[in-house]
Amino acid sequence: MTILAENLKLPCGATLPNRLAKAGMSEQLADRAGRPTDTLTRLYATWARGGAGLLITGNVMIDRCGLVEPRNVILDDDRAPAAYKSWADAVHAGGAQMWMQINHPGRVATVPLNRWPLAPSASREPVPGYNLRRPRQLSGSDIQDLVRRFARTAELAVGNGFDGVQVHAAHGFLLSQFLSPLANTRDDSYGGDAAGRRRLLLEVVDAVRAAIGSGVPIAVKLNSKDFQHGGLDEAESLDVARALAGAGVDLIEISGGNYAEPAMTGVHDRGRLAGNNPYFLDYARKVRDVVDVPLMLTGGVRTRETMERIVAEGAADVLGIARPMAFVPDYPARILAGELEPELPKGPPRTGYRPADGYLQLAYHNVQFHRMAKGLAPQVNPGPGTVARAIAVISRNFVSQAVVPR
């Protein structure tokens, strides 16, 4: 028996069956109206049989006027409950729990799907493609509407059979933008200082808790830092973690980076052995020193030996596995069965430009999601055309969803 097979009781009273989770990854498999499709359900049914005790969805958008990518799932009304229930049921049939990751892109809303991005402040994202339009600064009433939307999406998720929700406050999306001194230059109560910058996140957590009750898990995905000079740093992130613990969250998932510096894809870790050096482990240890909330560590976690060591020392309680499950959908089961490190193909070539390299990583893995969604096995040794095919699929999605149905 491995420590990774032990269950974990969360503060709300819910229990995870083991210490391995599929972390959120963007699938881009919804229909044009943002509803889950049969292909998306098939993908998750495959992952549900893969040994992880918990599956966390990719981005589910709280507002159809704000998409991260084309074909994102959207849950902002109760018009099609059967599609969401089928998605959750497919995971439960495989023996895993299903949490919905809820999100708003803010100023990185996808062009051309969103006419006018919203942001904490009217400053552009410094990444080509996202800096074409100056975003509109959110007003006080806009902010309160966003809080209500997060709560409503969480309520609908749980009502449609999901076991919990994860509030996405990392990777440069809207709540992450509010936490960043670079993106948030407001001088009102939602900016100005560290307490103001984290106010919206805490209000969202409180509203979500009120909407779903005390017995349903709430997780938050949090950046260790933004990896940008002047952005969210570790010291301030630790203060956010303390505040989240005080707000009663059940799990904090640790990640890092954003569109300009995609540290979550490993672009800052070239040349090191990722399996023995998870990207954000040092920060996880610092969080453990200041909060008792269960922690989930995602990024570069590959080997059974490393996973067992992290859980045994208490640096994290759950290990998030993301990109490996694009090629080995039963990666968690193999780890639990004793494989030290299931074999994975090499990643795509790097250009040296971090935003482009982050995008290539996502595209390289996304094509495998689409294969599994069609009932095909992932490619064991992807050829040089894999990234090109993935980019072509994403491009077709952009064209087909140029106007989001209302």
Side-chain angles (χ1 to χ4, degrees):
M1 180 68 74
T2 170
I3 192 173
L4 303 175
E6 295 179 358
N7 61 27
L8 174 67
K9 187 171 183 179
L10 301 174
C12 67
T15 300
L16 298 180
N18 62 41
R19 302 305 182 93
L20 302 181
K22 183 206 79 70
M25 296 180 284
S26 179
E27 311 95 357
Q28 300 183 47
L29 284 166
D31 66 17
R32 290 186 69 246
R35 295 180 293 257
T37 58
D38 291 343
T39 50
L40 179 63
T41 299
R42 185 181 299 117
L43 172 63
Y44 273 80
T46 300
W47 278 332
R49 297 188 295 270
L54 170 65
L55 305 187
I56 301 176
T57 72
N59 290 307
V60 174
M61 313 317 299
I62 65 168
D63 183 354
R64 66 189 57 246
C65 294
L67 300 184
V68 173
E69 294 143 337
R71 304 288 178 163
N72 282 148
V73 174
I74 306 165
L75 183 54
D76 61 355
D77 59 44
D78 58 359
R79 285 183 289 183
Y84 301 92
K85 290 178 180 177
S86 294
W87 191 16
D89 288 346
V91 172
H92 295 151
Q97 292 191 22
M98 178 73 145
W99 291 5
M100 182 179 286
Q101 183 186 83
I102 58 178
N103 193 13
H104 189 290
R107 68 181 187 177
V108 294
T110 299
V111 177
L113 308 182
N114 305 98
R115 301 183 192 90
W116 198 359
L118 306 174
S121 305
S123 59
R124 292 179 173 88
E125 170 66 35
V127 174
Y130 293 101
N131 58 6
L132 300 177
R133 294 168 299 174
R134 185 182 179 92
R136 176 171 67 84
Q137 178 171 306
L138 289 156
S139 67
S141 60
D142 291 332
I143 289 173
Q144 293 310 305
D145 180 64
L146 282 167
V147 172
R148 288 190 292 269
R149 286 181 178 275
F150 271 101
R152 177 60 172 156
T153 297
E155 180 181 35
L156 291 168
V158 174
N160 287 327
F162 286 77
D163 303 291
V165 295
Q166 182 185 67
V167 176
H168 202 327
H171 298 176
F173 299 122
L174 182 63
L175 296 179
S176 178
Q177 292 161 28
F178 267 87
L179 294 174
S180 167
L182 280 178
N184 182 354
T185 57
R186 303 173 71 99
D187 58 5
D188 63 3
S189 59
Y190 290 96
D193 59 17
R197 288 191 289 271
R198 61 178 175 262
R199 179 181 174 186
L200 176 56
L201 173 57
L202 297 176
E203 288 186 356
V204 166
V205 169
D206 287 345
V208 168
R209 176 61 77 198
I212 66 177
S214 60
V216 179
I218 297 176
V220 171
K221 189 161 189 167
L222 177 67
N223 269 2
S224 57
K225 60 181 179 180
D226 290 344
F227 290 83
Q228 289 176 292
H229 180 70
L232 180 73
D233 59 23
E234 285 194 359
E236 189 167 327
S237 182
L238 285 170
D239 288 338
V240 177
R242 290 187 184 94
L244 291 171
V249 301
D250 296 288
L251 185 73
I252 298 174
E253 181 185 359
I254 295 167
S255 189
N258 51 37
Y259 279 68
E261 294 289 343
M264 60 285 194
T265 66
V267 298
H268 282 264
D269 294 86
R270 189 172 190 174
R272 81 188 224 177
L273 298 175
N276 295 318
N277 296 277
Y279 305 154
F280 314 110
L281 178 57
D282 290 342
Y283 174 79
R285 291 174 173 141
K286 295 174 185 177
V287 178
R288 174 55 70 224
D289 287 341
V290 299
V291 304
D292 293 327
V293 174
L295 302 179
M296 175 173 160
L297 179 64
T298 302
V301 184
R302 298 289 183 269
T303 70
R304 172 172 167 149
E305 179 183 6
T306 300
M307 295 177 187
E308 289 178 329
R309 173 172 54 83
I310 291 170
V311 174
E313 74 176 54
D317 304 280
V318 180
L319 286 310
I321 303 173
R323 289 173 293 160
M325 294 183 70
F327 291 98
V328 185
D330 63 344
Y331 200 99
R334 296 189 185 193
I335 290 291
L336 292 171
E339 289 190 41
L340 296 181
E341 185 175 9
E343 185 175 357
L344 295 168
K346 294 181 180 180
R350 301 195 186 206
T351 67
Y353 178 51
R354 286 172 177 164
D357 287 342
Y359 178 79
L360 288 173
Q361 283 279 349
L362 296 173
Y364 183 73
H365 293 82
N366 188 265
V367 73
Q368 306 305 323
F369 303 161
H370 285 248
R371 285 181 60 86
M372 287 187 281
K374 294 176 182 177
L376 303 174
Q379 295 170 298
V380 177
N381 294 300
T386 298
V387 171
R389 287 194 297 275
I391 293 173
V393 169
I394 295 170
S395 299
R396 287 196 299 271
N397 285 344
F398 273 111
V399 172
S400 69
Q401 201 175 20
V403 178
V404 180
R406 298 284 176 171

